[in-house]
Amino acid sequence: MSQAKAGGNAAFVEFSHVQKSYDGVSLVVKDLNLSIGKGEFLTMLGPSGSGKTTCLMMLAGFETATHGEIRLGGREINNIPPHKRGIGMVFQNYALFPHMTVGENLSFPLEVRGMDKAERETKVKRALDMVQMGNFINRRPAQLSGGQQQRIALARALVFDPELVLMDEPLGALDKQLREHMQFEIKGLHDRLGITVVYVTHDQGEALTMSDRVAVFNDGVIQQLDSPDELYERPKNSFVAQFIGENNKLPGTVEELDGHKCLVRLANGELIDATPVNVREKGQQTLVSIRPERVEFKPEMMPKGAHTIRAEVKDVIYMGDILRARLKVAGSDNFVMKMRNTISQTKLAPGETISIGWHPQDARALDPV
Amino acid sequence: MTDQTAPPGLGAESLTTADGRPLKAALHRAQARAKRRAFLLVLPLLAFVLLTFVIPIGIMLFRSLNNPDFVSYSDIDSGTEIPVMQNVQAWFAANPQGTEPDEAAYAALAADLVHLKEIKAQGSVGTRINYVLPGSRSLFTSSARDAAKLAPPYKEAVLALDEKWADPAVWQAMRSSAGTITGDFYILAADFERDDSGAIVRTAEKERIYLYLFWRTFFLSGLITLICLVLAFPIAHLLATLPLSKSNLLMILVLLPFWTSLLVRTTSWIVLLQQQGVVNDALVALGLIGTDGRLTMINNQTGTIVAMTHVLLPFMILPLYSVMRTIKPSYVRAARSLGATSWTAFRRVYLPQTLPGMGAGVLLVFILAVGYYITPALVGGADGQLISNMIAFHMSKANWSLAAAIATMLLFSVLILYWLYDRLIGIDNLKLG
């Protein structure tokens, strides 16, 4: 990760003022500027239609940029056809050639590069061993399970030693358990091989687990580009706050603004502490966002002088590792609080009234939606 | 788990149900009802196929081997079968092949001719011999007319009626026809004939027509199939990749010929391609050809190829389209990203995946073309005729046996091609939709 961050000044992949339109009427990608360092694992995260896949396809060479420049290793690649870019790619449904065996699939990129047979065999074997699929060389893709196909697709994208590998929602078709397992495996391969990975997903959990940095896309614009912890704990706007993880939103008006702290008055007149992010002056409308696990209801856990507000417990859901309480706060009853499921944890009953509060830095006053 | 604890039905050797019946028998019983019902559902179709397909083809096969016209005459008035030419047949039975016809043979012939005249069967018998030896029908009809006047010595008397009776070929033709089951029609259909001694030899070179027609039929069908494949491939690809609204419109254009009568389509080709037709006029107007150099594009092979390609094109497009629609664009993209040029990606990744559709289309178009009749008959002229036109010709001449023999040969050559296809590509690779 340190390498990745250092790579910021010597960009390996660079989008510069890239725009893309399919119909000449609307822009799918609006003025994209993004540099990806060598060896970095960057995830493009966003809802469908946000432009993330389009960006990936432009990088792979399957779509042309309407405007702007895309550079790979300092070289402009706008007009280089996909087969000359030397980028490995893992597709959403693997796209393993059904009429070829696993071995032939892996051998394909080496054959088209004119590599001789002995060298091909060595490389194919090495790539298969890398994903623990050495025994499957003579199988057809149809004879493999989803997870196995995924590994082969990965091996095929890596077999010709590309420096950059693109992954387009590669784990979307797998079940939850296998998906989590493959996340670690892909991450492990990335660390071991030192390759640069650009990963597209709409699954925020996946993005947070695997990436060095995450670019959150919405409406053709990168909303925030940060490391997973920054993104989760310090979202820069309401979209990011809502898209990543669960979030409580409290609309209100800025009452006091003082550098790194502000007071927000909620609709029912109660006051809460928050950190100003997207607010500039008193009297402005804002949306305060607080993570459910950062909400406290025990006075001793709250900082001195913090404002507390009243909340009524609607129900408590037992989720195993945590307890999820739904509270009625400031007139709205979908305020969520998560509590660790420890032996000494206080059991809340529906209908109970409690006081809740938080560290001011955990409540972020963002732009109103 | 030990044997004591194993519940009944888990024995390794023969599985039984909970009440001890063999599992296989129980399964069979449980499924028998459903199977019976399924069979009853297909029964009408089975009967239909049997009645309209299996039996007629069986009759055709039988007809090609069986022609009793020299042995019996079916009298239409009384509806009875009257044996004919019995005396000559008796003489054939008594004398081995190659025996010079003697007085006894001519006496038998004279008696048979008289009998033919009585029951008016000389035409039918003459026609039967005419199949194997062209030009002999009149020999029978004219000789039978005067047969009553014949008196011993019969040899001279018969020869006085018609010199041709001395021809050993006539006697050979009668001998080979003297049975109900004969392979003669296959011999004829393969451009062979029997010489005077009964040996099978090739027909004179200028009279060989069937093998050449077979060859032409298969060659033209192959050519038409190839042209269809070349034309259909890009259209099918376009259909499969265009957005739905546009591909639907294109599909209607592809299917439009299906909704037009075959006759109308073929006639419009005549309008287009004839010497004073649209294409020639356009070429003359453009100055590409002179008025006296108008191209002959109809009533010859060109006409057959053009019109049949047009008629059969949808049969190639549809199976190709149905296969191409299932090939995701990500395959070609994957190949490109792996370093393949667009041509390599097409050749190594896209093309092999369309193989089931190509196989189905090729087989469909080829088999349809091999048996095609109307279009070559209308626009084929002399050198654009196919073997089915010959079958139709013999049927119109009531030579059912020869028509059936040619048709059977056609059927088996198609079956052989089908078998070859299965061996080379595999029939389970076929995908029609």
Side-chain angles (χ1 to χ4, degrees):
Chain A
M1 200 142 115
S2 55
Q3 189 195 356
K5 281 192 173 145
N9 40 22
F12 181 53
V13 178
E14 201 169 9
F15 288 87
S16 149
H17 300 290
V18 171
Q19 290 180 310
K20 174 71 185 174
S21 171
Y22 285 106
D23 51 6
V25 180
S26 58
L27 282 171
V28 181
V29 175
K30 299 168 186 162
D31 195 38
L32 178 79
N33 293 291
L34 174 63
S35 19
I36 304 166
K38 205 167 172 66
E40 190 176 7
F41 194 122
L42 182 122
T43 299
M44 294 178 172
L45 175 69
S48 54
S50 60
K52 58 189 194 303
T53 299
T54 305
C55 286
L56 196 76
M57 289 299 165
M58 285 194 286
L59 185 51
F62 299 125
E63 298 288 355
T64 49
T66 312
H67 173 81
E69 243 179 45
I70 303 170
R71 282 187 289 273
L72 176 63
R75 193 163 61 119
E76 194 199 320
I77 56 167
N78 284 42
N79 294 316
I80 295 179
H83 66 277
K84 287 189 181 155
R85 296 192 181 190
I87 299 174
M89 186 151 180
V90 181
F91 288 82
Q92 204 165 4
N93 291 305
Y94 323 131
L96 294 175
F97 307 138
H99 58 291
M100 297 184 190
T101 63
V102 165
E104 287 165 346
N105 261 289
L106 262 73
S107 184
F108 183 83
L110 307 176
E111 267 172 62
V112 299
R113 283 175 170 73
M115 208 173 271
D116 64 62
K117 196 159 185 263
E119 202 180 348
R120 286 205 308 259
E121 276 168 8
T122 330
K123 286 210 167 212
V124 167
K125 197 176 170 319
R126 202 191 60 199
L128 281 178
D129 288 342
M130 191 168 68
V131 292
Q132 294 107 48
M133 292 287 290
N135 297 330
F136 294 83
I137 189 159
N138 289 318
R139 299 274 193 98
R140 298 241 169 209
Q143 296 168 304
L144 302 177
S145 72
Q148 289 168 336
Q149 290 186 36
Q150 174 57 57
R151 286 160 191 267
I152 299 302
L154 206 57
R156 189 179 66 175
L158 295 170
V159 71
F160 58 98
D161 302 320
E163 290 187 304
L164 174 62
V165 177
L166 311 182
M167 302 192 188
D168 183 12
E169 308 205 19
L171 306 180
L174 302 181
D175 61 62
K176 188 172 177 289
Q177 218 170 353
L178 200 53
R179 196 160 62 218
E180 281 167 6
H181 179 75
M182 284 306 293
Q183 286 172 10
F184 289 113
E185 209 143 311
I186 291 174
K187 186 70 189 141
L189 277 174
H190 166 253
D191 290 342
R192 216 152 10 109
L193 301 175
I195 45 173
T196 311
V197 176
V198 178
Y199 192 101
V200 161
T201 182
H202 62 258
D203 181 335
Q204 38 112 351
E206 213 165 281
L208 295 183
T209 319
M210 302 172 76
S211 324
D212 293 330
R213 281 193 302 164
V214 179
V216 182
F217 275 72
N218 188 39
D219 204 17
V221 174
I222 294 183
Q223 303 287 332
Q224 188 170 353
L225 173 64
D226 256 321
S227 62
D229 53 335
E230 280 288 317
L231 210 59
Y232 187 80
E233 285 170 30
R234 282 175 281 280
K236 283 188 180 140
N237 61 35
S238 301
F239 176 81
V240 177
Q242 284 170 57
F243 194 73
I244 303 214
E246 208 176 359
N247 228 321
N248 291 307
K249 294 158 297 223
L250 294 171
T253 322
V254 179
E255 183 89 1
E256 267 177 41
L257 186 62
D258 155 35
H260 303 294
K261 271 181 75 176
C262 67
L263 269 179
V264 175
R265 190 173 289 281
L266 301 181
N268 64 351
E270 286 185 291
L271 280 172
I272 55 169
D273 300 309
T275 307
V277 180
N278 276 344
V279 288
R280 254 156 263 107
E281 56 195 24
K282 274 201 259 182
Q284 205 178 344
Q285 289 290 315
T286 182
L287 196 70
V288 180
S289 123
I290 311 123
R291 297 282 177 202
E293 69 273 17
R294 298 288 168 100
V295 178
E296 301 288 355
F297 69 101
K298 292 173 188 156
E300 68 272 18
M301 300 295 288
M302 288 177 228
K304 262 194 176 147
H307 285 85
T308 60
I309 53 172
R310 287 158 59 77
E312 185 193 338
V313 180
K314 300 302 283 187
D315 51 38
V316 181
I317 298 169
Y318 181 83
M319 296 181 75
D321 53 345
I322 55 158
L323 298 166
R324 189 172 186 276
R326 198 160 58 86
L327 309 175
K328 182 172 181 171
V329 171
S332 140
D333 57 3
N334 49 16
F335 192 95
V336 175
M337 175 172 70
K338 286 182 184 167
M339 301 162 280
R340 282 174 61 220
N341 187 11
T342 57
I343 291 177
S344 55
Q345 185 61 274
T346 316
K347 300 275 178 283
L348 296 174
E352 207 175 317
T353 305
I354 52 174
S355 291
I356 55 168
W358 43 78
H359 284 272
Q361 66 261 39
D362 286 333
R364 296 172 65 78
L366 305 168
D367 49 318
V369 173
Chain B
M1 198 183 275
T2 61
D3 283 343
Q4 280 82 5
T5 56
L10 281 183
E13 280 307 301
S14 64
L15 291 169
T16 56
T17 56
D19 57 354
R21 284 186 303 147
L23 194 61
K24 269 196 177 159
L27 183 71
H28 188 76
R29 261 180 69 100
Q31 289 180 341
R33 210 182 126 82
K35 278 187 181 160
R36 255 201 314 279
R37 206 191 289 169
F39 179 73
L40 281 176
L41 272 175
V42 297
L43 194 62
L45 183 67
L46 195 68
F48 180 79
V49 167
L50 210 65
L51 223 64
T52 61
F53 195 71
V54 178
I55 293 176
I57 285 187
I59 293 175
M60 181 192 80
L61 287 172
F62 180 66
R63 272 284 193 152
S64 68
L65 289 166
N66 171 59
N67 192 320
D69 281 357
F70 193 73
V71 182
S72 69
Y73 172 68
S74 44
D75 189 33
I76 297 166
D77 297 333
S78 63
T80 50
E81 296 282 330
I82 308 166
V84 292
M85 301 303 281
Q86 278 176 309
N87 296 311
V88 171
Q89 281 166 46
W91 186 83
F92 282 142
N95 295 281
Q97 187 147 33
T99 314
E100 187 85 1
D102 52 10
E103 177 62 19
Y106 283 101
L109 177 64
D112 283 336
L113 285 172
V114 173
H115 180 237
L116 287 183
K117 172 87 159 89
E118 277 167 25
I119 60 168
K120 299 195 183 77
Q122 66 272 42
S124 151
V125 170
T127 307
R128 172 65 183 85
I129 300 303
N130 201 55
Y131 290 154
V132 227
L133 188 69
S136 21
R137 188 175 188 272
S138 59
L139 182 64
F140 277 83
T141 50
S142 66
S143 301
R145 203 182 305 131
D146 303 324
K149 292 181 222 152
L150 289 172
Y154 284 111
K155 185 167 181 179
E156 282 74 20
V158 170
L159 290 181
L161 268 184
D162 199 320
E163 281 274 292
K164 270 167 88 181
W165 286 112
D167 187 353
V170 173
W171 287 88
Q172 178 49 48
M174 290 198 288
R175 185 187 280 274
S176 72
S177 310
T180 47
I181 301 298
T182 171
D184 275 5
F185 295 102
Y186 284 99
I187 294 172
L188 285 175
D191 281 341
F192 283 94
E193 61 184 10
R194 287 180 195 274
D195 66 2
D196 300 350
S197 64
I200 296 165
V201 292
R202 296 214 61 174
T203 35
E205 187 137 10
K206 60 177 180 194
E207 285 166 25
R208 291 176 201 162
I209 42 170
Y210 301 111
L211 284 190
Y212 172 67
L213 260 181
F214 268 111
W215 182 85
R216 180 155 85 195
T217 303
F218 282 96
F219 172 75
L220 284 186
S221 302
L223 185 67
I224 289 163
T225 309
L226 188 73
I227 298 174
C228 278
L229 182 63
V230 169
L231 291 178
F233 202 93
I235 301 174
H237 180 74
L238 199 63
L239 272 171
T241 46
L242 275 182
L244 203 62
S245 57
K246 281 179 190 154
S247 74
N248 272 345
L249 186 73
L250 194 62
M251 186 57 110
I252 288 173
L253 292 179
V254 167
L255 293 177
L256 204 60
F258 267 149
W259 306 335
T260 329
S261 150
L262 186 64
L263 268 175
V264 172
R265 273 183 283 163
T266 310
T267 325
S268 50
W269 276 115
I270 297 176
V271 173
L272 279 169
L273 297 180
Q274 63 191 340
Q275 295 243 304
Q276 304 298 322
V278 178
V279 174
N280 265 319
D281 284 351
L283 288 176
V284 170
L286 287 171
L288 291 172
I289 53 171
T291 326
D292 45 352
R294 285 174 178 264
L295 303 171
T296 320
M297 292 180 290
I298 205 86
N299 294 327
N300 58 10
Q301 264 183 32
T302 317
T304 303
I305 294 170
V306 170
M308 277 179 69
T309 302
H310 175 228
V311 171
L312 294 175
L313 195 57
F315 293 101
M316 185 69 87
I317 295 177
L318 293 177
L320 268 178
Y321 162 69
S322 79
V323 168
M324 284 176 177
R325 210 180 32 178
T326 63
I327 304 174
K328 287 189 228 78
S330 62
Y331 288 124
V332 171
R333 286 186 165 183
R336 300 271 283 143
S337 80
L338 293 170
T341 59
S342 46
W343 167 241
T344 309
F346 172 78
R347 191 173 52 86
R348 300 253 339 246
V349 174
Y350 192 75
L351 202 62
Q353 292 191 64
T354 62
L355 209 60
M358 283 204 277
V362 164
L363 213 59
L364 200 60
V365 169
F366 186 82
I367 289 177
L368 281 172
V370 158
Y372 229 68
Y373 163 66
I374 305 175
T375 306
L378 287 174
V379 299
D383 66 347
Q385 299 292 305
L386 302 182
I387 196 74
S388 39
N389 299 102
M390 197 45 85
I391 297 173
F393 170 78
H394 285 300
M395 276 160 63
S396 70
K397 291 273 179 274
N399 191 353
W400 290 97
S401 292
L402 186 54
I406 302 174
T408 306
M409 283 170 73
L410 185 63
L411 175 68
F412 279 96
S413 37
V414 168
L415 286 180
I416 288 170
L417 283 173
Y418 194 73
W419 174 79
L420 270 178
Y421 179 91
D422 188 31
R423 291 298 301 273
L424 294 176
I425 298 172
I427 229 68
D428 28 328
N429 244 333
L430 219 61
K431 209 166 161 192
L432 282 165

